Amino acid sequence: MADFTDEDLSGSRLTRVDLSNTRFERVHLEHVELIDSEMYDMTIRGTDLIGVRMHGVEIVDLDIVGEVVKLTVNGVDVASFVQDELDRRHPGRAAMRPTDPDGYRAAWDLLEELWAGTVERARRLDPALLHESVDGEWSFIETLRHLAFATDAWLSRAILGDPSPWHPLELPWDQMPDTPGIPRDRAARPSLEEVLELRESRRDAVRRYLDRLTSEALERDTVPVEGPGWPPPESFPVAQCLRTILNEEWEHRLYAERDLAVLESRSSV
């Protein structure tokens, strides 16, 4: 079995090649052509698909979970249909796109209420199940650890200017390159109470910031923070940073609810 790591294979031509059971990780595919090829039972996770054109294809049982900005199927942009249907299915989802300070505060109120119900649901399970992965996704505990990281990234670092706000239990997304100073301890097994204590401190920080948020502050850009970390040392609209936090909270709660249902079925067997 060939193993290619940290190699430049750009310009390669693969013709009548069998790549079954191949793993591509952190691979850069730009200006790539797939012609008369077969793609069966594939999993694409944590990958950006930008400017991809698929013509003359047969698509059967394609499942897409992610942020869909523009998706054209046979000449029809279906992204808006997907957005409207998700808003219909999940009342409150539209509130995660606020435009003024009161809207951000209302969105956070809703998230706190919804997460309280999700955590209570998790408490009814055997604590060991909260460390279990469902279909290769993060466990419930890991999800909470990641949300603490997201808050520190976009509030503590990007908005408030702390270059290194990380707690040892925080967890960046899996595809993020190892970065000096940012923790990534996937082997840690903290209790639910430990993680909730960390999470509560980060959520309190969001609440304090939103309580004093003004329209003027919402329209500003952040001051770049130097040093390694996430996000990179760039300037971002404050509104974008806050929207990212809201989106992380909203989407990961839905994932958690989905996986808790699976764990509940396991515990009842």
Side-chain angles (χ1 to χ4, degrees), residues 185-214:
D185 187 358
R186 288 297 299 270
R189 290 294 182 269
S191 68
L192 177 61
E193 297 308 318
E194 287 179 275
V195 174
L196 287 177
E197 182 179 356
L198 167 63
R199 179 154 161 73
E200 194 62 31
S201 70
R202 276 29 180 196
R203 291 174 64 183
D204 286 347
V206 176
R207 169 58 65 191
R208 289 193 298 270
Y209 182 80
L210 293 180
D211 282 345
R212 62 178 186 270
L213 181 65
T214 64

PDB file of all heavy atoms in Angstrom, residues 185-214:
ATOM      1  N   ASP A 185      -6.518  17.632  23.523  1.00  0.00           N
ATOM      2  CA  ASP A 185      -6.379  16.383  24.269  1.00  0.00           C
ATOM      3  C   ASP A 185      -7.624  15.531  24.043  1.00  0.00           C
ATOM      4  O   ASP A 185      -8.581  15.594  24.798  1.00  0.00           O
ATOM      5  CB  ASP A 185      -6.183  16.683  25.756  1.00  0.00           C
ATOM      6  CG  ASP A 185      -5.864  15.425  26.555  1.00  0.00           C
ATOM      7  OD1 ASP A 185      -5.838  14.330  25.953  1.00  0.00           O
ATOM      8  OD2 ASP A 185      -5.650  15.541  27.778  1.00  0.00           O
ATOM      9  N   ARG A 186      -7.585  14.710  22.991  1.00  0.00           N
ATOM     10  CA  ARG A 186      -8.727  13.852  22.700  1.00  0.00           C
ATOM     11  C   ARG A 186      -8.829  12.687  23.674  1.00  0.00           C
ATOM     12  O   ARG A 186      -9.879  12.041  23.749  1.00  0.00           O
ATOM     13  CB  ARG A 186      -8.617  13.321  21.264  1.00  0.00           C
ATOM     14  CG  ARG A 186      -8.870  14.332  20.166  1.00  0.00           C
ATOM     15  CD  ARG A 186     -10.290  14.871  20.199  1.00  0.00           C
ATOM     16  NE  ARG A 186     -11.291  13.849  20.005  1.00  0.00           N
ATOM     17  CZ  ARG A 186     -11.778  13.475  18.819  1.00  0.00           C
ATOM     18  NH1 ARG A 186     -11.322  14.035  17.708  1.00  0.00           N
ATOM     19  NH2 ARG A 186     -12.715  12.559  18.729  1.00  0.00           N
ATOM     20  N   ALA A 187      -7.764  12.403  24.395  1.00  0.00           N
ATOM     21  CA  ALA A 187      -7.786  11.286  25.341  1.00  0.00           C
ATOM     22  C   ALA A 187      -8.390  11.677  26.686  1.00  0.00           C
ATOM     23  O   ALA A 187      -8.690  10.798  27.500  1.00  0.00           O
ATOM     24  CB  ALA A 187      -6.379  10.744  25.550  1.00  0.00           C
ATOM     25  N   ALA A 188      -8.575  12.950  26.946  1.00  0.00           N
ATOM     26  CA  ALA A 188      -9.115  13.399  28.239  1.00  0.00           C
ATOM     27  C   ALA A 188     -10.538  12.883  28.428  1.00  0.00           C
ATOM     28  O   ALA A 188     -11.322  12.822  27.465  1.00  0.00           O
ATOM     29  CB  ALA A 188      -9.081  14.917  28.324  1.00  0.00           C
ATOM     30  N   ARG A 189     -10.871  12.518  29.647  1.00  0.00           N
ATOM     31  CA  ARG A 189     -12.215  12.029  29.962  1.00  0.00           C
ATOM     32  C   ARG A 189     -12.769  12.790  31.177  1.00  0.00           C
ATOM     33  O   ARG A 189     -13.028  12.217  32.232  1.00  0.00           O
ATOM     34  CB  ARG A 189     -12.197  10.522  30.237  1.00  0.00           C
ATOM     35  CG  ARG A 189     -11.943   9.662  29.007  1.00  0.00           C
ATOM     36  CD  ARG A 189     -13.106   9.790  28.031  1.00  0.00           C
ATOM     37  NE  ARG A 189     -12.931   8.945  26.861  1.00  0.00           N
ATOM     38  CZ  ARG A 189     -12.336   9.344  25.747  1.00  0.00           C
ATOM     39  NH1 ARG A 189     -11.822  10.571  25.670  1.00  0.00           N
ATOM     40  NH2 ARG A 189     -12.249   8.546  24.702  1.00  0.00           N
ATOM     41  N   PRO A 190     -12.980  14.093  31.042  1.00  0.00           N
ATOM     42  CA  PRO A 190     -13.542  14.858  32.163  1.00  0.00           C
ATOM     43  C   PRO A 190     -14.993  14.474  32.399  1.00  0.00           C
ATOM     44  O   PRO A 190     -15.683  13.989  31.491  1.00  0.00           O
ATOM     45  CB  PRO A 190     -13.417  16.302  31.684  1.00  0.00           C
ATOM     46  CG  PRO A 190     -13.481  16.201  30.189  1.00  0.00           C
ATOM     47  CD  PRO A 190     -12.777  14.922  29.837  1.00  0.00           C
ATOM     48  N   SER A 191     -15.448  14.699  33.600  1.00  0.00           N
ATOM     49  CA  SER A 191     -16.848  14.428  33.912  1.00  0.00           C
ATOM     50  C   SER A 191     -17.737  15.498  33.292  1.00  0.00           C
ATOM     51  O   SER A 191     -17.266  16.574  32.887  1.00  0.00           O
ATOM     52  CB  SER A 191     -17.059  14.411  35.424  1.00  0.00           C
ATOM     53  OG  SER A 191     -16.885  15.731  35.955  1.00  0.00           O
ATOM     54  N   LEU A 192     -19.015  15.207  33.238  1.00  0.00           N
ATOM     55  CA  LEU A 192     -19.966  16.187  32.719  1.00  0.00           C
ATOM     56  C   LEU A 192     -19.924  17.459  33.559  1.00  0.00           C
ATOM     57  O   LEU A 192     -19.964  18.572  33.023  1.00  0.00           O
ATOM     58  CB  LEU A 192     -21.380  15.599  32.719  1.00  0.00           C
ATOM     59  CG  LEU A 192     -22.505  16.544  32.274  1.00  0.00           C
ATOM     60  CD1 LEU A 192     -22.288  17.024  30.844  1.00  0.00           C
ATOM     61  CD2 LEU A 192     -23.867  15.859  32.407  1.00  0.00           C
ATOM     62  N   GLU A 193     -19.819  17.313  34.870  1.00  0.00           N
ATOM     63  CA  GLU A 193     -19.821  18.486  35.735  1.00  0.00           C
ATOM     64  C   GLU A 193     -18.584  19.350  35.500  1.00  0.00           C
ATOM     65  O   GLU A 193     -18.670  20.589  35.530  1.00  0.00           O
ATOM     66  CB  GLU A 193     -19.898  18.056  37.206  1.00  0.00           C
ATOM     67  CG  GLU A 193     -21.179  17.307  37.559  1.00  0.00           C
ATOM     68  CD  GLU A 193     -22.432  18.073  37.118  1.00  0.00           C
ATOM     69  OE1 GLU A 193     -22.464  19.307  37.294  1.00  0.00           O
ATOM     70  OE2 GLU A 193     -23.360  17.432  36.598  1.00  0.00           O
ATOM     71  N   GLU A 194     -17.430  18.719  35.270  1.00  0.00           N
ATOM     72  CA  GLU A 194     -16.217  19.490  34.984  1.00  0.00           C
ATOM     73  C   GLU A 194     -16.379  20.321  33.720  1.00  0.00           C
ATOM     74  O   GLU A 194     -16.000  21.500  33.677  1.00  0.00           O
ATOM     75  CB  GLU A 194     -15.033  18.546  34.821  1.00  0.00           C
ATOM     76  CG  GLU A 194     -14.516  17.906  36.081  1.00  0.00           C
ATOM     77  CD  GLU A 194     -13.355  16.984  35.793  1.00  0.00           C
ATOM     78  OE1 GLU A 194     -13.594  15.803  35.455  1.00  0.00           O
ATOM     79  OE2 GLU A 194     -12.192  17.450  35.874  1.00  0.00           O
ATOM     80  N   VAL A 195     -16.930  19.703  32.705  1.00  0.00           N
ATOM     81  CA  VAL A 195     -17.078  20.391  31.424  1.00  0.00           C
ATOM     82  C   VAL A 195     -18.156  21.464  31.515  1.00  0.00           C
ATOM     83  O   VAL A 195     -18.017  22.549  30.926  1.00  0.00           O
ATOM     84  CB  VAL A 195     -17.386  19.383  30.305  1.00  0.00           C
ATOM     85  CG1 VAL A 195     -17.680  20.103  28.994  1.00  0.00           C
ATOM     86  CG2 VAL A 195     -16.223  18.430  30.119  1.00  0.00           C
ATOM     87  N   LEU A 196     -19.205  21.192  32.253  1.00  0.00           N
ATOM     88  CA  LEU A 196     -20.257  22.192  32.402  1.00  0.00           C
ATOM     89  C   LEU A 196     -19.750  23.415  33.164  1.00  0.00           C
ATOM     90  O   LEU A 196     -20.169  24.547  32.885  1.00  0.00           O
ATOM     91  CB  LEU A 196     -21.471  21.589  33.118  1.00  0.00           C
ATOM     92  CG  LEU A 196     -22.311  20.613  32.302  1.00  0.00           C
ATOM     93  CD1 LEU A 196     -23.431  20.034  33.169  1.00  0.00           C
ATOM     94  CD2 LEU A 196     -22.896  21.290  31.061  1.00  0.00           C
ATOM     95  N   GLU A 197     -18.851  23.208  34.121  1.00  0.00           N
ATOM     96  CA  GLU A 197     -18.271  24.342  34.843  1.00  0.00           C
ATOM     97  C   GLU A 197     -17.471  25.228  33.893  1.00  0.00           C
ATOM     98  O   GLU A 197     -17.573  26.459  33.926  1.00  0.00           O
ATOM     99  CB  GLU A 197     -17.386  23.842  35.977  1.00  0.00           C
ATOM    100  CG  GLU A 197     -16.779  24.955  36.804  1.00  0.00           C
ATOM    101  CD  GLU A 197     -15.921  24.438  37.943  1.00  0.00           C
ATOM    102  OE1 GLU A 197     -15.863  23.199  38.125  1.00  0.00           O
ATOM    103  OE2 GLU A 197     -15.295  25.259  38.635  1.00  0.00           O
ATOM    104  N   LEU A 198     -16.661  24.592  33.025  1.00  0.00           N
ATOM    105  CA  LEU A 198     -15.910  25.340  32.024  1.00  0.00           C
ATOM    106  C   LEU A 198     -16.851  26.058  31.069  1.00  0.00           C
ATOM    107  O   LEU A 198     -16.680  27.250  30.777  1.00  0.00           O
ATOM    108  CB  LEU A 198     -15.010  24.375  31.242  1.00  0.00           C
ATOM    109  CG  LEU A 198     -14.383  24.912  29.950  1.00  0.00           C
ATOM    110  CD1 LEU A 198     -13.441  26.076  30.245  1.00  0.00           C
ATOM    111  CD2 LEU A 198     -13.655  23.791  29.209  1.00  0.00           C
ATOM    112  N   ARG A 199     -17.840  25.333  30.611  1.00  0.00           N
ATOM    113  CA  ARG A 199     -18.774  25.904  29.637  1.00  0.00           C
ATOM    114  C   ARG A 199     -19.559  27.073  30.233  1.00  0.00           C
ATOM    115  O   ARG A 199     -19.799  28.075  29.569  1.00  0.00           O
ATOM    116  CB  ARG A 199     -19.712  24.811  29.158  1.00  0.00           C
ATOM    117  CG  ARG A 199     -20.756  25.272  28.167  1.00  0.00           C
ATOM    118  CD  ARG A 199     -21.192  24.142  27.299  1.00  0.00           C
ATOM    119  NE  ARG A 199     -22.460  24.416  26.664  1.00  0.00           N
ATOM    120  CZ  ARG A 199     -22.634  25.269  25.681  1.00  0.00           C
ATOM    121  NH1 ARG A 199     -21.612  25.976  25.230  1.00  0.00           N
ATOM    122  NH2 ARG A 199     -23.822  25.456  25.148  1.00  0.00           N
ATOM    123  N   GLU A 200     -19.937  26.937  31.484  1.00  0.00           N
ATOM    124  CA  GLU A 200     -20.713  27.993  32.119  1.00  0.00           C
ATOM    125  C   GLU A 200     -19.903  29.284  32.204  1.00  0.00           C
ATOM    126  O   GLU A 200     -20.442  30.380  32.000  1.00  0.00           O
ATOM    127  CB  GLU A 200     -21.156  27.551  33.514  1.00  0.00           C
ATOM    128  CG  GLU A 200     -22.237  28.425  34.125  1.00  0.00           C
ATOM    129  CD  GLU A 200     -23.529  28.404  33.313  1.00  0.00           C
ATOM    130  OE1 GLU A 200     -23.826  27.378  32.676  1.00  0.00           O
ATOM    131  OE2 GLU A 200     -24.230  29.440  33.300  1.00  0.00           O
ATOM    132  N   SER A 201     -18.622  29.180  32.493  1.00  0.00           N
ATOM    133  CA  SER A 201     -17.800  30.384  32.571  1.00  0.00           C
ATOM    134  C   SER A 201     -17.720  31.073  31.211  1.00  0.00           C
ATOM    135  O   SER A 201     -17.738  32.307  31.130  1.00  0.00           O
ATOM    136  CB  SER A 201     -16.401  30.032  33.081  1.00  0.00           C
ATOM    137  OG  SER A 201     -15.667  29.290  32.119  1.00  0.00           O
ATOM    138  N   ARG A 202     -17.643  30.294  30.136  1.00  0.00           N
ATOM    139  CA  ARG A 202     -17.587  30.886  28.798  1.00  0.00           C
ATOM    140  C   ARG A 202     -18.935  31.464  28.390  1.00  0.00           C
ATOM    141  O   ARG A 202     -19.004  32.520  27.760  1.00  0.00           O
ATOM    142  CB  ARG A 202     -17.132  29.833  27.783  1.00  0.00           C
ATOM    143  CG  ARG A 202     -15.625  29.599  27.634  1.00  0.00           C
ATOM    144  CD  ARG A 202     -14.835  29.863  28.848  1.00  0.00           C
ATOM    145  NE  ARG A 202     -13.390  29.629  28.668  1.00  0.00           N
ATOM    146  CZ  ARG A 202     -12.568  29.515  29.672  1.00  0.00           C
ATOM    147  NH1 ARG A 202     -13.004  29.575  30.932  1.00  0.00           N
ATOM    148  NH2 ARG A 202     -11.266  29.344  29.460  1.00  0.00           N
ATOM    149  N   ARG A 203     -19.989  30.794  28.753  1.00  0.00           N
ATOM    150  CA  ARG A 203     -21.318  31.322  28.422  1.00  0.00           C
ATOM    151  C   ARG A 203     -21.603  32.600  29.206  1.00  0.00           C
ATOM    152  O   ARG A 203     -22.239  33.526  28.687  1.00  0.00           O
ATOM    153  CB  ARG A 203     -22.383  30.264  28.707  1.00  0.00           C
ATOM    154  CG  ARG A 203     -22.309  29.084  27.737  1.00  0.00           C
ATOM    155  CD  ARG A 203     -23.258  27.990  28.123  1.00  0.00           C
ATOM    156  NE  ARG A 203     -24.639  28.411  28.043  1.00  0.00           N
ATOM    157  CZ  ARG A 203     -25.673  27.643  28.382  1.00  0.00           C
ATOM    158  NH1 ARG A 203     -25.455  26.425  28.841  1.00  0.00           N
ATOM    159  NH2 ARG A 203     -26.905  28.071  28.270  1.00  0.00           N
ATOM    160  N   ASP A 204     -21.134  32.669  30.446  1.00  0.00           N
ATOM    161  CA  ASP A 204     -21.294  33.896  31.223  1.00  0.00           C
ATOM    162  C   ASP A 204     -20.554  35.056  30.554  1.00  0.00           C
ATOM    163  O   ASP A 204     -21.028  36.195  30.567  1.00  0.00           O
ATOM    164  CB  ASP A 204     -20.766  33.696  32.643  1.00  0.00           C
ATOM    165  CG  ASP A 204     -21.697  32.851  33.497  1.00  0.00           C
ATOM    166  OD1 ASP A 204     -22.847  32.624  33.080  1.00  0.00           O
ATOM    167  OD2 ASP A 204     -21.259  32.401  34.572  1.00  0.00           O
ATOM    168  N   ALA A 205     -19.402  34.751  29.968  1.00  0.00           N
ATOM    169  CA  ALA A 205     -18.639  35.795  29.277  1.00  0.00           C
ATOM    170  C   ALA A 205     -19.421  36.325  28.074  1.00  0.00           C
ATOM    171  O   ALA A 205     -19.425  37.533  27.809  1.00  0.00           O
ATOM    172  CB  ALA A 205     -17.285  35.249  28.836  1.00  0.00           C
ATOM    173  N   VAL A 206     -20.064  35.433  27.355  1.00  0.00           N
ATOM    174  CA  VAL A 206     -20.894  35.872  26.223  1.00  0.00           C
ATOM    175  C   VAL A 206     -22.045  36.732  26.716  1.00  0.00           C
ATOM    176  O   VAL A 206     -22.332  37.793  26.162  1.00  0.00           O
ATOM    177  CB  VAL A 206     -21.428  34.654  25.437  1.00  0.00           C
ATOM    178  CG1 VAL A 206     -22.372  35.109  24.330  1.00  0.00           C
ATOM    179  CG2 VAL A 206     -20.281  33.852  24.839  1.00  0.00           C
ATOM    180  N   ARG A 207     -22.682  36.291  27.786  1.00  0.00           N
ATOM    181  CA  ARG A 207     -23.821  37.041  28.326  1.00  0.00           C
ATOM    182  C   ARG A 207     -23.379  38.442  28.763  1.00  0.00           C
ATOM    183  O   ARG A 207     -24.071  39.425  28.477  1.00  0.00           O
ATOM    184  CB  ARG A 207     -24.417  36.275  29.512  1.00  0.00           C
ATOM    185  CG  ARG A 207     -25.426  37.048  30.346  1.00  0.00           C
ATOM    186  CD  ARG A 207     -26.596  37.532  29.515  1.00  0.00           C
ATOM    187  NE  ARG A 207     -27.373  36.413  28.993  1.00  0.00           N
ATOM    188  CZ  ARG A 207     -28.321  36.575  28.064  1.00  0.00           C
ATOM    189  NH1 ARG A 207     -28.570  37.777  27.565  1.00  0.00           N
ATOM    190  NH2 ARG A 207     -28.994  35.536  27.641  1.00  0.00           N
ATOM    191  N   ARG A 208     -22.250  38.546  29.445  1.00  0.00           N
ATOM    192  CA  ARG A 208     -21.781  39.860  29.886  1.00  0.00           C
ATOM    193  C   ARG A 208     -21.502  40.770  28.689  1.00  0.00           C
ATOM    194  O   ARG A 208     -21.829  41.958  28.722  1.00  0.00           O
ATOM    195  CB  ARG A 208     -20.515  39.719  30.745  1.00  0.00           C
ATOM    196  CG  ARG A 208     -20.744  39.116  32.118  1.00  0.00           C
ATOM    197  CD  ARG A 208     -19.518  39.312  33.011  1.00  0.00           C
ATOM    198  NE  ARG A 208     -18.339  38.635  32.466  1.00  0.00           N
ATOM    199  CZ  ARG A 208     -18.009  37.386  32.741  1.00  0.00           C
ATOM    200  NH1 ARG A 208     -18.774  36.648  33.533  1.00  0.00           N
ATOM    201  NH2 ARG A 208     -16.905  36.862  32.225  1.00  0.00           N
ATOM    202  N   TYR A 209     -20.907  40.199  27.653  1.00  0.00           N
ATOM    203  CA  TYR A 209     -20.603  41.026  26.474  1.00  0.00           C
ATOM    204  C   TYR A 209     -21.895  41.467  25.783  1.00  0.00           C
ATOM    205  O   TYR A 209     -22.039  42.642  25.405  1.00  0.00           O
ATOM    206  CB  TYR A 209     -19.729  40.243  25.492  1.00  0.00           C
ATOM    207  CG  TYR A 209     -19.345  41.069  24.279  1.00  0.00           C
ATOM    208  CD1 TYR A 209     -18.312  41.991  24.352  1.00  0.00           C
ATOM    209  CD2 TYR A 209     -20.065  40.961  23.088  1.00  0.00           C
ATOM    210  CE1 TYR A 209     -17.976  42.781  23.257  1.00  0.00           C
ATOM    211  CE2 TYR A 209     -19.732  41.739  21.987  1.00  0.00           C
ATOM    212  CZ  TYR A 209     -18.695  42.644  22.075  1.00  0.00           C
ATOM    213  OH  TYR A 209     -18.369  43.427  21.002  1.00  0.00           O
ATOM    214  N   LEU A 210     -22.842  40.556  25.630  1.00  0.00           N
ATOM    215  CA  LEU A 210     -24.089  40.905  24.951  1.00  0.00           C
ATOM    216  C   LEU A 210     -24.915  41.901  25.760  1.00  0.00           C
ATOM    217  O   LEU A 210     -25.614  42.745  25.189  1.00  0.00           O
ATOM    218  CB  LEU A 210     -24.909  39.649  24.673  1.00  0.00           C
ATOM    219  CG  LEU A 210     -24.312  38.664  23.663  1.00  0.00           C
ATOM    220  CD1 LEU A 210     -25.246  37.460  23.493  1.00  0.00           C
ATOM    221  CD2 LEU A 210     -24.075  39.344  22.318  1.00  0.00           C
ATOM    222  N   ASP A 211     -24.830  41.815  27.072  1.00  0.00           N
ATOM    223  CA  ASP A 211     -25.600  42.732  27.918  1.00  0.00           C
ATOM    224  C   ASP A 211     -25.217  44.190  27.670  1.00  0.00           C
ATOM    225  O   ASP A 211     -26.052  45.094  27.809  1.00  0.00           O
ATOM    226  CB  ASP A 211     -25.409  42.393  29.403  1.00  0.00           C
ATOM    227  CG  ASP A 211     -26.246  41.185  29.825  1.00  0.00           C
ATOM    228  OD1 ASP A 211     -27.153  40.800  29.068  1.00  0.00           O
ATOM    229  OD2 ASP A 211     -25.965  40.631  30.907  1.00  0.00           O
ATOM    230  N   ARG A 212     -23.956  44.416  27.301  1.00  0.00           N
ATOM    231  CA  ARG A 212     -23.525  45.793  27.067  1.00  0.00           C
ATOM    232  C   ARG A 212     -23.285  46.092  25.579  1.00  0.00           C
ATOM    233  O   ARG A 212     -22.732  47.149  25.241  1.00  0.00           O
ATOM    234  CB  ARG A 212     -22.246  46.084  27.872  1.00  0.00           C
ATOM    235  CG  ARG A 212     -21.047  45.238  27.500  1.00  0.00           C
ATOM    236  CD  ARG A 212     -19.820  45.650  28.313  1.00  0.00           C
ATOM    237  NE  ARG A 212     -18.616  44.963  27.893  1.00  0.00           N
ATOM    238  CZ  ARG A 212     -18.188  43.816  28.387  1.00  0.00           C
ATOM    239  NH1 ARG A 212     -18.892  43.215  29.346  1.00  0.00           N
ATOM    240  NH2 ARG A 212     -17.077  43.252  27.946  1.00  0.00           N
ATOM    241  N   LEU A 213     -23.680  45.165  24.720  1.00  0.00           N
ATOM    242  CA  LEU A 213     -23.483  45.348  23.282  1.00  0.00           C
ATOM    243  C   LEU A 213     -24.324  46.512  22.766  1.00  0.00           C
ATOM    244  O   LEU A 213     -25.517  46.636  23.084  1.00  0.00           O
ATOM    245  CB  LEU A 213     -23.877  44.068  22.545  1.00  0.00           C
ATOM    246  CG  LEU A 213     -23.715  44.083  21.018  1.00  0.00           C
ATOM    247  CD1 LEU A 213     -22.245  44.224  20.619  1.00  0.00           C
ATOM    248  CD2 LEU A 213     -24.317  42.807  20.409  1.00  0.00           C
ATOM    249  N   THR A 214     -23.719  47.375  21.962  1.00  0.00           N
ATOM    250  CA  THR A 214     -24.412  48.510  21.352  1.00  0.00           C
ATOM    251  C   THR A 214     -24.373  48.371  19.841  1.00  0.00           C
ATOM    252  O   THR A 214     -23.592  47.597  19.276  1.00  0.00           O
ATOM    253  CB  THR A 214     -23.740  49.833  21.749  1.00  0.00           C
ATOM    254  OG1 THR A 214     -22.401  49.851  21.207  1.00  0.00           O
ATOM    255  CG2 THR A 214     -23.687  49.994  23.265  1.00  0.00           C
TER     256      THR A 214
END
